[in-house]
Amino acid sequence: MPYTEDRSVWFEGQGLWSHVPAADWQDWVWQLKNRLTMVEQLERYMTLTPGEKAGCLFANQKLALAITPYFFNLIDRNDPDCPIRKQVIPHRDEMIISSGEMLDSLGEDEHSPVPGLVHRYPDRVLFLVTDRCAAYCRYCTRSRLVSNAQDYNFHSEYEQALRYIEAHPEIRDVLLSGGDPLLLSDKKLDHLVGRLRAIKHVEFIRLGSRIPVFLPQRITPELCEIFKKHGPIWLSIHLNHPKEATQELKEACERLSFAGVPLGNQSVLLKGVNDDPDVMKALVHRLLRMRVRPYYIYQMDLITGSAHFKVDVRKGIEIIRTLRGHTTGYAVPQYVIDAPGGGGKVPVNPDYVEKITDDEVVFHNFEGKIFRYPLKSSPLPVPAGTVMPAEIHM
Ligand SMILES: *Cc1c(COP(=O)(O)O)cnc(C)c1O
């Protein structure tokens, strides 16, 4: 059955927490304090499947369980296949380690000159500023260190990282991630971003954060002022499914946009969540309506215990094919595989080119029709009676 939704509706409201004063609900510290972190709390509101229950009991050895009340409301508690549920409720399948899976599948630790800094590409660095998030995605690519369930004891060395960036003039782009950088206090963020902005060769500063999606209340006017002050700051958010596009998130994106923060979205292709062209189309359309440009769709990284989320790459390519040409160009993200072992992000988009020779390129369009574009051109005879400008006659 194709995925359908009422496009005029944006989910909003306090749901299960309608008894809580609105001021508490809108307070991000309240949301963090009231996160669901234990199996007993989940079971107060829903019946877990045996697989989920076993997963919850295992979570403290793998990746912590935490869900904000705001995000928990988006779960359809009567549907064991709910795409929101699968992203944040642990499952026994996380314990199964399959061939090819690694703790650090992107080889980040090997490319880390300073604790917390990953320097893989020539002109940009990934700066991991914390190991904590507002809620934990069960397919986390950094589950080896995030939430510290595996006793990795991650500690970012801000001063060392800043000194490394200062000493490397080739670094023109710094990406703050983690964990979630928006869990830092306003004061820390202001200081950190201010320090980066003061480095002359750092032209481009961006953050990767799922906080707008898990905790839109964190996007306060004060935070937006910090972005404004140090701007331009770009922000990549992380939605996987159109149900995550709520009224609260839309308003948070609006606050960010009005503060001059360009927004992108990164999705992970996840089995049973968004491995469906109709779901992805609905998602990218919602994103544009929230002023968010779809940036990447990631093929699942080969992290331990992720096989149950893995989607065939051909399915991902098919999804891009159903978007390109069929809808707004701005709505079409790049589909990439982050090369296992640390080769960086590589696009794996549909191929439209049939053949290229010295004479022409032969390609097909979104409808499958073949077209040719000549590469060689030679002048045609001038039609009789044509009056040529004098300089061409000579
Ligand atoms: C994803 C990533 C980046 C940023 O890549 P872009 O394609 O520029 O968005 C930078 N460094 C590392 C290590 C990354 O994984």
Side-chain angles (χ1 to χ4, degrees), residues 27-260:
D27 175 1
W28 64 280
V29 179
W30 182 93
Q31 289 280 342
L32 284 178
K33 275 195 192 138
N34 287 278
R35 288 187 298 181
L36 298 99
T37 57
M38 289 182 301
V39 68
E40 298 78 17
Q41 291 171 307
L42 296 180
E43 285 184 317
R44 195 183 303 160
Y45 299 110
M46 65 196 291
T47 308
L48 296 173
T49 66
E52 288 171 334
K53 185 146 187 182
C56 289
L57 300 175
F58 179 71
N60 58 1
Q61 298 165 50
K62 167 84 204 288
L63 173 72
L65 158 65
I67 310 170
T68 54
Y70 161 82
F71 197 73
F72 187 81
N73 265 339
L74 306 185
I75 293 176
D76 180 347
R77 288 168 291 126
N78 297 315
D79 178 10
D81 292 325
C82 168
I84 307 300
R85 178 172 182 151
K86 288 186 177 173
Q87 293 183 53
V88 287
I89 303 219
H91 196 280
R92 165 169 64 208
D93 289 351
E94 292 171 28
M95 298 182 229
I96 303 168
I97 298 176
S98 303
S99 57
E101 293 180 351
M102 290 161 272
L103 273 174
D104 179 17
S105 80
L106 304 179
E108 290 185 335
D109 293 345
E110 294 155 48
H111 287 89
S112 185
V114 167
L117 208 64
V118 185
H119 194 178
R120 156 139 44 255
Y121 298 103
D123 71 337
R124 54 206 190 279
V125 287
L126 171 64
F127 188 173
L128 307 176
V129 297
T130 171
D131 62 354
R132 298 303 144 109
C133 293
Y136 294 107
C137 310
R138 302 322 302 173
Y139 50 88
C140 176
T141 194
R142 271 179 218 113
S143 54
R144 71 182 186 285
L145 64 90
V146 164
S147 88
N148 206 35
Q150 301 185 24
D151 293 324
Y152 186 99
N153 287 322
F154 173 82
H155 287 290
S156 193
E157 295 289 345
Y158 292 1
E159 280 307 319
Q160 274 189 55
L162 288 165
R163 259 182 271 132
Y164 180 90
I165 297 166
E166 276 164 358
H168 287 79
E170 72 275 19
I171 298 172
R172 45 161 290 285
D173 170 359
V174 178
L175 161 53
L176 298 181
S177 183
D180 201 312
L182 292 186
L183 267 195
L184 300 189
S185 65
D186 285 1
K187 204 173 148 205
K188 267 203 179 133
L189 270 172
D190 187 19
H191 175 76
L192 201 54
V193 176
R195 288 281 303 271
L196 289 170
R197 188 49 86 206
I199 303 173
K200 284 212 173 56
H201 53 267
V202 174
E203 301 167 353
F204 191 74
I205 301 173
R206 54 173 156 170
L207 285 82
S209 170
R210 207 178 187 190
I211 287 259
V213 174
F214 283 145
L215 185 65
Q217 297 82 3
R218 171 70 184 98
I219 311 304
T220 59
E222 294 76 26
L223 178 67
C224 292
E225 279 307 311
I226 294 171
F227 290 144
K228 219 181 207 174
K229 174 169 135 195
H230 300 294
I233 308 287
W234 293 52
L235 180 67
S236 292
I237 63 174
H238 172 44
L239 281 81
N240 292 318
H241 192 279
K243 274 188 80 177
E244 292 158 47
T246 65
Q247 183 64 28
E248 280 97 331
L249 175 57
K250 188 160 161 264
E251 287 169 13
C253 290
E254 200 159 87
R255 292 193 288 279
L256 288 163
S257 276
F258 292 175

